[in-house]
């Protein structure tokens, strides 16, 4: 594991990030990974520079330990899978974090799939669809009025990623809109997603999705 943004080093105090490589069997893997890390570090430089220009009021919106950005990635070259464990921006910085990370991943690992094992936030889900297309839902944990249920395999036949986004948008439109909910939640909180199926409306606690980076 490479801790590329250790706050003790002090180079990127606003960034918390970790990067795990596995399955490095190809002869060019070490060189490719090194090039990827250098480009990722340049991205962190830009994030820190942007953060340093923010006013004190915006900096106060940061998460724990004054962290403004979180990036957690696992790269398995043998399975050709990039796992995005966490990606979050706590401050109002004019920089699109997801597209910045995505562009680097696509340049270095175009033959891999992107997997988000615990997708919770509505806005990240929309960005995945916007920039990559509609991912495959591999499993989803739903919460109804009285119980939680995990759907996978054949149980996912009636559920789709697009339907979840549509039902989520409808949920917030019926409750004064997305912007009002964002203001109520404040920084560092995800907008929940919802699905309306045979059991009625249920909250999507998380879902695992997968999509090719080559799209």
């Amino acid at each position: 594991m490479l801790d590329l943004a250790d706050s003790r080093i002090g180079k990127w105090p606003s960034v918390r990030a970790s990067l795990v490589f596995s399955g490095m069997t190809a002869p060019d893997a070490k060189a490719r990974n090194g090039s990827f890390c250098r480009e990722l570090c340049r991205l962190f430089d830009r994030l820190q520079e942007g953060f340093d220009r923010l006013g004190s009021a915006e900096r106060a919106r940061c998460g724990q330990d004054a962290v403004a950005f979180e990036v957690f990635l696992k790269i398995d070259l043998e399975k050709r899978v990039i796992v995005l464990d966490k990606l979050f921006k706590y401050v109002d910085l004019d920089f699109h974090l997801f597209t910045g990370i995505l562009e680097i991943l696509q340049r270095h690992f175009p033959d891999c799939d992107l997997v988000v094992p615990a997708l919770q936030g509505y806005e990240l889900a929309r960005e995945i669809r916007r920039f990559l297309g509609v991912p495959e839902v591999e499993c989803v944990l739903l919460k109804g009025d009285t119980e939680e249920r995990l759907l996978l395999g054949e149980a996912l036949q009636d559920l789709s990623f697009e339907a979840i986004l549509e039902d989520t948008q409808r949920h917030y439109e019926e409750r004064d809109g997305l912007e009002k909910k964002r203001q109520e939640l404040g920084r560092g909180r995800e907008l929940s997603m919802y699905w309306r199926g045979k059991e009625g409306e249920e909250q999507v606690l998380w879902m695992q999705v997968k999509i090719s980076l080559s799209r």
Side-chain angles (χ1 to χ4, degrees):
M1 181 178 73
L2 300 177
D3 189 351
L4 296 176
D6 192 333
S7 60
R8 293 172 296 180
I9 298 174
K11 187 173 184 180
W12 306 296
S14 68
V15 182
R16 178 182 291 137
S18 70
L19 177 60
V20 178
F21 285 106
S22 62
M24 295 183 290
T25 57
D28 64 339
K30 186 174 182 180
R32 179 167 62 159
N33 294 347
S35 176
F36 168 74
C37 288
R38 287 190 293 273
E39 193 166 352
L40 193 61
C41 288
R42 288 195 291 271
L43 172 63
F44 292 163
D45 287 339
R46 293 174 62 191
L47 292 176
Q48 187 62 47
E49 290 168 2
F51 177 81
D52 290 341
R53 292 193 294 267
L54 293 176
S56 57
E58 191 62 34
R59 293 188 185 198
R61 300 176 184 269
C62 289
Q64 187 177 5
D65 300 325
V67 169
F69 316 98
E70 292 186 296
V71 181
F72 288 55
L73 291 167
K74 296 177 183 177
I75 300 174
D76 189 327
L77 296 181
E78 183 177 0
K79 295 180 180 178
R80 295 185 178 181
V81 168
I82 312 292
V83 178
L84 179 59
D85 277 331
K86 190 166 188 179
L87 183 71
F88 207 84
K89 181 175 72 171
Y90 292 89
V91 295
D92 188 12
L93 182 69
D94 187 20
F95 183 87
H96 205 290
L97 185 56
F98 178 70
T99 55
I101 295 291
L102 180 61
E103 288 170 0
I104 297 173
L105 290 173
Q106 288 179 314
R107 276 195 290 273
H108 293 275
F109 309 106
D111 55 342
C112 291
D113 292 330
L114 179 69
V115 173
V116 185
L119 178 59
Q120 298 175 325
Y122 174 55
E123 297 193 351
L124 178 56
R126 289 198 304 176
E127 289 181 351
I128 291 172
R129 180 183 63 178
R130 177 184 175 187
F131 295 106
L132 286 173
V134 179
E136 174 188 357
V137 179
E138 298 188 318
C139 59
V140 58
L141 181 63
L142 301 170
K143 180 180 180 181
D145 293 334
T146 59
E147 62 181 2
E148 298 178 4
R149 59 193 185 111
L150 178 65
L151 303 185
L152 65 165
E154 294 182 359
L156 292 170
Q157 288 181 352
D158 297 328
L159 178 145
S160 72
F161 188 84
E162 288 278 35
I164 288 174
L165 294 191
E166 292 171 2
D167 290 345
T168 298
Q169 182 176 351
R170 187 180 303 112
H171 172 91
Y172 289 113
E173 287 175 349
E174 294 172 352
R175 293 164 177 80
D176 300 323
L178 281 166
E179 190 55 39
K180 181 176 181 180
K181 189 61 178 180
R182 287 193 190 98
Q183 294 173 359
E184 291 175 356
L185 290 175
R187 298 285 179 176
R189 298 288 300 277
E190 302 275 8
L191 281 169
S192 296
M193 290 182 282
Y194 295 86
W195 181 58
R196 297 181 180 181
K198 297 178 181 178
E199 304 294 328
E201 183 175 80
E202 298 173 277
Q203 182 182 355
V204 177
L205 296 181
W206 57 260
M207 57 179 166
Q208 178 168 309
V209 301
K210 179 180 181 180
I211 191 166
S212 172
L213 284 171
S214 63
R215 295 195 181 187

